[in-house]
Amino acid sequence: MNASDYGDDFFSQAEQTADLLAGLNPQQRRAAEILDGPLMILAGPGSGKTRVITHRVANMIHNGIRADQIVALTFTNKAAEELKNRIATLVPGSYVWAGTFHRFCSRLLRQYAPLVGLSENFSILDMDDVSRLLANAWAVADIADEFVSRNAVQSEISRAKNAIVTAEEYQGRAGNAVGKVTQQVYPIYQRMLLECNSVDFDDLLMWTAIILQQNEELRQSLDQRFAYIMVDEYQDTNLAQYAIVRSLSNDLPNLAITGDPDQSIYGWRGASIQNILGFEQDYPAVEVVRLEQNYRSTKAILSIADHLISNNKQRKAKKLISDSDQGDPVRSMVFPSPQEEADFIARDVSQLIADGIWEPKDIAIFYRANWLSRNLEHAFNGLGIPFQLVNGFEFYQRKEVKDLIAYLRLLNNPRNDLALERVINSPSRKIGKVTLDRLKASASGKRISLLEACRICGLDGSLPARSATSVARFVSEIDRLSELQTNSIQEYLQSVLQVTHYRAVLVAEDTEQAIERIANVDELISAAREFDNQHPEDGGLQAYLETAALVSDTDKLVDGDLSLKMMTMHAAKGLEFPCVYIVGLEEGILPHERSRESAAQIEEERRLFFVGITRAERQLTLCRCEGRMKRGQFWVSPPSSFLMELPSDELDIYDRKRGSKQIADSYNNDFSVGEDWIDSECGGATISIDDHSSLSKPSPKSSSFDVQALDATDVELDENQRDRSPKNFAKPTVPKPKGKLGSIVPKITTAAAMFGIGSKKGPAGAGDGSSEFRSGMMVEHPEYGPGKITSLSGAGAKEMATVQFYSVGEKKFRVKFSTLKPLG
DNA sequence: TATTCGCAAGTTTTT
DNA sequence: CTTGCGAATA
């Protein structure tokens, strides 16, 4: 049914629709008008995708489609919340189900759990439980291979499940050690999961897909029931999700997907970019709408993004069009160490805030991995800038929070042995490893749950009397708690605290840590109260536990939170901020060390960077360090190869002058960079600062300023700032290289070595003459710094290399006589 | 037999 | 720099 089906109320309907869609551009409008049949919306970053989806849903409802026939599957709960709210604003009183795939599957699976051997009160294990259970399975399987890591097997199992390969079906590839071990462990692990009536994250998808595959009648009825399905971020769906969506959109193929292949960043989790690239083959009748108009970023930012992503081969060419102004050029900065990087950003940010340019909430900092936030936290704390870390598990990862939730899980699902294991001795009941092992042995011998084993341990002599008494006390506490009849989570938690004396024990401890834990317990309780308020009817233990299990980082972002945000680029997907900093743009971090194996992985890293860049609305600063501490030592980091793919003439480059005598000498001596800075007067050092223009015509004449170490932009931005923040005068926290650093980092003789890359061979061309260069290779030039070989031609003495430099753009060299060095 | 202390090893991204 | 495991001690 759509607007062209003239009904009695045609006029009013048409008017309403016109009204509703009035604010959309032609493409957006078209997408919102197609209600039936398969639809693919290719939406570039900032193209108003959410706006289109919400208006489309509103349009559906205006056209008489029942809200309960519509399902919107999103990637995060936050995205789902936003959809729901905005739809509710457009169509007051409507209720459209929106949620993550995992939540949707969890809901379905609860209804049909017996079909796969579960009961409806199954638990969803967190990552911690999963690795403990896997360790158990590992022990049972008695794995002898010490070269295969548990992590490798864990992700192999995960990959199998994402591809709907069950434990029975799984076959490791011949000659693959991980596969071989997985084949042994996976079935045991899976059996254990069933025994404790639990699923892991991947099971939610896999079981749902299997149920739909194996029960045609059920599939048909669900296909009818969910007549209209929308999938957001389709480029990040994996095979299991794909199978689920297809099963539910077969008889009624009213399936709308939105996505952007350039933002596919979950390949490592089994997402298949093929799902979106092949959508047109799946549904030949598909209507394709492209949203290419960007409403978010300045031209300067978009151009950077565009240059970067055009280096990917596996993509559908797409332009980002913008009507916005040019905006400030994107800054590219380099710092000696992460401490200085963080210091600079903290001061830069406080300046922006002091000048009233941005508020803290307008600013975000992105990085590749969570640990990269440490120095930033430090620096921000030092300047008293409010920030929020958006790595959301953190709270649920805390021991006390996990303990309390584990109690609830055990109450909800008495067969959850992992939850029992977690709580049986916290607070301490003097039940240790030996006792627990005996209980486990008893349980597996009798094929009963751990709780049952606990219950009978006093009778069957499986434990000495003293331990049995402790265990009996534990059982009676659990029994008392299970008698509780309430829907209020707050009440549940408080009962747990009371019956187990959990809080009393903490209070008695009276240490700083205990006080913090009590605070966390209180926070959990107020969160529970909040949950109780929001779910007066449909709540209950199970709903709460499900929520607790399926929260994600970004879900914790509250509208109206005024602090600055720090998060990974993965977490940043779907968000936008006026002012963005991306840190740690170094080879090995972005692209990540472990992505270097394949071109496909490198492309995914590039897309990740693309996602990061395109979050920025007005200002973007790209930062990297020349080195960082690793396992107690200072390691030099080369710049990310991605930086060299950006148009240097469009960037504002703040860089240490290459080839500057002083700097080069200090490198040459003993790699005593840190010493140099620390020893200089008031922590200062001689750094030369060059903007791009002087960099591009390198002259030996150095334009040095005596400025504080790393404080490159003080000169540029604000001379007074140093006076305002006393911290600036503190010694820079450059790690002081200790002892025999020189023996670890090779003697520095070339610019390549400056970046810490081994210079085992002599200068290129002076050696054996055979070329060690290949196209695409990272290289280093003493004068121009790092670069990337874009092409090679000729051979022998005539071999020419074209190199794209980060600093000065493209240069050509006779390979044989050049001073180019391989990098990496 | 539980707890505590010390040493060693290991660090992507997330539902 | 943190977590996890193993040995020593109470």
Side-chain angles (χ1 to χ4, degrees):
Chain A
M1 184 191 309
N2 61 43
S4 59
D5 292 336
Y6 300 174
D8 291 340
D9 52 354
F10 166 66
F11 288 106
S12 74
Q13 216 174 68
E15 273 164 30
Q16 273 181 11
T17 303
D19 234 27
L20 179 73
L21 307 181
L24 303 181
N25 73 28
Q27 290 78 32
Q28 292 178 328
R29 196 191 164 101
R30 179 165 161 65
E33 279 171 350
I34 301 170
L35 304 184
D36 293 301
L39 168 67
M40 172 159 72
I41 304 171
L42 290 172
S47 59
K49 181 183 61 175
T50 308
R51 203 175 148 76
V52 170
I53 298 176
T54 51
H55 281 78
R56 184 168 180 269
V57 170
N59 197 18
M60 285 170 146
I61 295 173
H62 279 177
N63 281 278
I65 295 168
R66 291 206 325 270
D68 64 5
Q69 294 179 293
I70 306 170
V71 168
L73 296 168
T74 62
F75 213 67
T76 63
N77 293 304
K78 176 163 197 322
E81 263 332 287
E82 195 183 342
L83 275 190
K84 274 195 253 184
N85 291 339
R86 284 169 67 169
I87 293 169
T89 310
L90 288 173
V91 191
S94 67
Y95 181 83
V96 171
W97 196 92
T100 63
F101 260 103
H102 287 82
R103 199 176 280 279
F104 178 75
C105 291
S106 169
R107 239 178 52 136
L108 273 187
L109 194 53
R110 292 230 184 258
Q111 276 184 62
Y112 306 105
L115 293 177
V116 290
L118 295 162
S119 35
E120 52 84 34
N121 62 332
F122 63 80
S123 307
I124 302 168
L125 300 191
D126 61 28
M127 287 179 296
D128 203 59
D129 288 337
V130 166
S131 49
R132 275 161 55 215
L133 192 66
L134 190 74
N136 291 345
W138 195 271
V140 170
D142 198 21
I143 299 302
D145 192 331
E146 41 190 273
F147 297 105
V148 174
S149 78
R150 283 220 304 266
N151 278 343
V153 172
Q154 192 174 322
S155 54
E156 180 68 7
I157 292 177
S158 174
R159 243 179 306 159
K161 288 183 173 181
N162 287 160
I164 327 181
V165 176
T166 62
E168 295 74 42
E169 293 162 346
Y170 182 87
Q171 295 284 329
R173 280 216 328 273
N176 181 336
V178 173
K180 198 167 159 245
V181 176
T182 304
Q183 213 170 309
Q184 292 172 267
V185 175
Y186 184 9
I188 300 173
Y189 168 78
Q190 204 61 13
R191 200 195 65 219
M192 289 176 156
L193 275 172
L194 280 182
E195 277 168 4
C196 36
N197 189 29
S198 301
V199 298
D200 60 25
F201 289 127
D202 305 312
D203 280 340
L204 288 171
L205 304 178
M206 182 177 78
W207 287 140
T208 304
I210 288 177
I211 286 174
L212 289 170
Q213 268 172 9
Q214 296 182 345
N215 303 275
E216 176 58 18
E217 260 178 53
L218 176 60
R219 188 203 64 71
Q220 282 177 17
S221 85
L222 292 174
D223 194 338
Q224 297 293 327
R225 178 166 145 209
F226 304 118
Y228 291 84
I229 297 183
M230 310 181 79
V231 182
D232 197 13
E233 310 281 14
Y234 192 77
Q235 76 280 356
D236 285 324
T237 53
N238 59 36
L239 188 70
Q241 291 165 323
Y242 170 81
I244 292 164
V245 169
R246 283 230 65 176
S247 306
L248 296 176
S249 318
N250 192 63
D251 312 334
L252 299 177
N254 304 316
L255 172 63
I257 62 157
T258 63
D260 178 3
D262 287 339
Q263 294 183 67
S264 162
I265 54 176
Y266 284 98
W268 52 273
R269 213 170 74 185
S272 167
I273 201 168
Q274 256 345 98
N275 289 349
I276 192 162
L277 295 178
F279 193 76
E280 287 162 281
Q281 278 95 65
D282 283 347
Y283 295 93
V286 66
E287 293 264 8
V288 181
V289 177
R290 287 166 188 272
L291 307 180
E292 291 178 314
Q293 178 79 33
N294 179 295
Y295 296 99
R296 179 185 294 153
S297 310
T298 63
K299 287 202 170 77
I301 292 167
L302 282 182
S303 168
I304 298 294
D306 209 35
H307 273 90
L308 176 79
I309 202 64
S310 63
N311 283 279
N312 268 8
K313 306 242 158 32
Q314 295 288 319
R315 72 185 287 255
K316 293 188 167 182
K318 173 164 53 64
K319 263 282 179 236
L320 302 173
I321 305 159
S322 168
D323 282 340
S324 87
D325 57 337
Q326 179 63 25
D328 298 343
V330 173
R331 291 189 295 179
S332 170
M333 317 194 74
V334 60
F335 305 92
S337 78
Q339 284 86 352
E340 274 96 349
E341 182 183 62
D343 255 23
F344 166 76
I345 293 176
R347 277 182 284 117
D348 200 37
V349 159
S350 60
Q351 189 62 45
L352 289 170
I353 296 169
D355 290 349
I357 297 173
W358 303 120
E359 292 173 47
K361 71 169 169 57
D362 299 325
I363 304 169
I365 303 175
F366 304 150
Y367 30 79
R368 175 64 231 264
N370 281 305
W371 59 269
L372 287 159
S373 69
R374 296 258 169 79
N375 292 295
L376 292 159
E377 292 170 49
H378 238 96
F380 283 115
N381 280 328
L383 293 191
I385 301 165
F387 65 88
Q388 193 196 347
L389 275 184
V390 189
N391 45 358
F393 304 108
E394 222 182 36
F395 182 71
Y396 286 96
Q397 296 282 38
R398 299 219 158 90
K399 182 188 182 311
E400 54 278 13
V401 174
K402 274 185 158 177
D403 286 350
L404 291 179
I405 294 206
Y407 273 107
L408 300 190
R409 286 193 180 171
L410 182 59
L411 293 176
N412 182 238
N413 172 19
R415 275 160 63 197
N416 191 333
D417 293 354
L418 290 154
L420 184 142
E421 238 183 279
R422 172 167 272 287
V423 299
I424 192 168
N425 202 35
S426 38
S428 170
R429 297 186 180 88
K430 311 244 178 271
I431 300 170
K433 189 171 180 302
V434 176
T435 306
L436 191 57
D437 281 345
R438 286 184 183 156
L439 286 168
K440 279 187 186 171
S442 157
S444 67
K446 299 187 175 69
R447 309 185 64 82
I448 54 177
S449 72
L450 260 183
L451 187 60
E452 287 305 310
C454 289
R455 209 179 282 288
I456 61 171
C457 73
L459 308 173
D460 64 359
S462 57
L463 284 183
R466 236 191 34 211
S467 310
T469 316
S470 304
V471 173
R473 211 184 86 217
F474 168 70
V475 173
S476 80
E477 286 178 7
I478 296 297
D479 285 345
R480 260 182 73 194
L481 287 168
S482 352
E483 285 162 18
L484 200 62
Q485 289 296 324
T486 174
N487 248 355
S488 157
I489 307 305
Q490 195 192 344
E491 234 175 278
Y492 262 112
L493 283 173
Q494 261 154 358
S495 303
V496 170
L497 290 173
Q498 205 183 356
V499 170
T500 65
H501 307 106
Y502 199 100
R503 177 189 246 122
V505 169
L506 282 178
V507 171
E509 241 181 75
D510 196 34
T511 60
E512 213 167 297
Q513 203 182 32
I515 291 168
E516 201 186 314
R517 293 204 161 148
I518 294 169
N520 287 329
V521 168
D522 290 338
E523 200 182 327
L524 183 66
I525 289 181
S526 48
R529 188 183 310 124
E530 186 68 17
F531 182 89
D532 287 338
N533 289 339
Q534 282 174 5
H535 304 256
E537 301 295 323
D538 59 331
L541 209 43
Q542 198 151 291
Y544 175 75
L545 289 174
E546 193 163 295
T547 303
L550 298 176
V551 284
S552 70
D553 310 18
T554 32
D555 300 338
K556 293 206 28 177
L557 279 178
V558 189
D559 283 342
D561 185 296
L562 295 180
S563 52
L564 176 152
K565 310 291 185 305
M566 298 200 242
M567 67 190 87
T568 64
M569 278 179 260
H570 283 92
K573 188 158 80 155
L575 305 177
E576 56 187 9
F577 299 90
C579 176
V580 166
Y581 296 77
I582 303 179
V583 301
L585 291 169
E586 292 143 48
E587 204 66 9
I589 293 181
L590 184 77
H592 193 269
E593 197 70 58
R594 291 173 61 165
S595 308
R596 288 215 246 182
E597 302 155 10
S598 76
Q601 284 180 320
I602 292 286
E603 295 211 344
E604 178 156 316
E605 298 284 300
R606 193 178 280 114
R607 290 193 292 268
L608 186 58
F609 190 18
F610 176 78
V611 167
I613 292 172
T614 52
R615 301 307 95 195
E617 294 170 1
R618 308 288 320 166
Q619 288 188 347
L620 176 63
T621 306
L622 308 175
C623 304
R624 67 178 179 95
C625 302
E626 291 180 317
R628 41 181 81 238
M629 295 299 283
K630 227 175 164 186
R631 289 199 289 274
Q633 266 154 8
F634 193 79
W635 293 77
V636 176
S637 321
S640 166
S641 55
F642 295 155
L643 287 173
M644 279 148 244
E645 298 168 355
L646 308 183
S648 54
D649 55 332
E650 291 181 26
L651 291 170
D652 236 0
I653 298 179
Y654 297 75
D655 208 341
R656 177 197 297 268
K657 173 98 175 182
R658 297 192 198 288
S660 153
K661 190 113 187 23
Q662 288 138 309
I663 300 289
D665 282 352
S666 78
Y667 272 104
N668 274 339
N669 280 336
D670 195 9
F671 196 63
S672 53
V673 214
E675 307 263 13
D676 204 30
W677 287 323
I678 287 165
D679 292 344
S680 307
E681 193 187 351
C682 78
T686 304
I687 300 196
S688 26
I689 296 149
D690 281 298
D691 62 9
H692 174 71
S693 57
S694 60
L695 246 186
S696 57
K697 36 179 185 323
S699 75
K701 187 177 143 259
S702 109
S703 53
S704 316
F705 298 87
D706 266 359
V707 291
Q708 196 206 334
L710 325 186
D711 208 341
T713 48
D714 258 10
V715 177
E716 167 83 7
L717 295 177
D718 185 6
E719 280 294 336
N720 299 325
Q721 192 183 333
R722 262 183 288 164
D723 301 330
R724 238 180 277 140
S725 64
K727 208 180 175 231
N728 288 345
F729 283 107
K731 283 194 171 187
T733 45
V734 179
K736 190 165 175 167
K738 278 191 229 159
K740 320 178 270 291
L741 198 54
S743 67
I744 293 148
V745 180
K747 258 253 193 285
I748 311 286
T749 52
T750 66
M754 238 165 89
F755 285 86
I757 303 310
S759 41
K760 286 169 198 148
K761 301 186 180 177
D768 54 0
S770 74
S771 176
E772 55 192 326
F773 297 101
R774 280 202 308 273
S775 189
M777 197 175 196
M778 298 272 306
V779 291
E780 172 76 23
H781 187 275
E783 196 175 333
Y784 306 128
K788 188 170 170 176
I789 298 184
T790 52
S791 69
L792 283 168
S793 60
K798 288 188 179 164
E799 188 175 15
M800 296 292 293
T802 312
V803 181
Q804 180 73 35
F805 286 105
Y806 174 45
S807 55
V808 293
E810 201 170 272
K811 296 272 171 193
K812 281 190 197 298
F813 297 93
R814 288 282 283 278
V815 171
K816 175 136 192 190
F817 303 108
S818 77
T819 45
L820 283 176
K821 299 290 304 170
L823 186 55

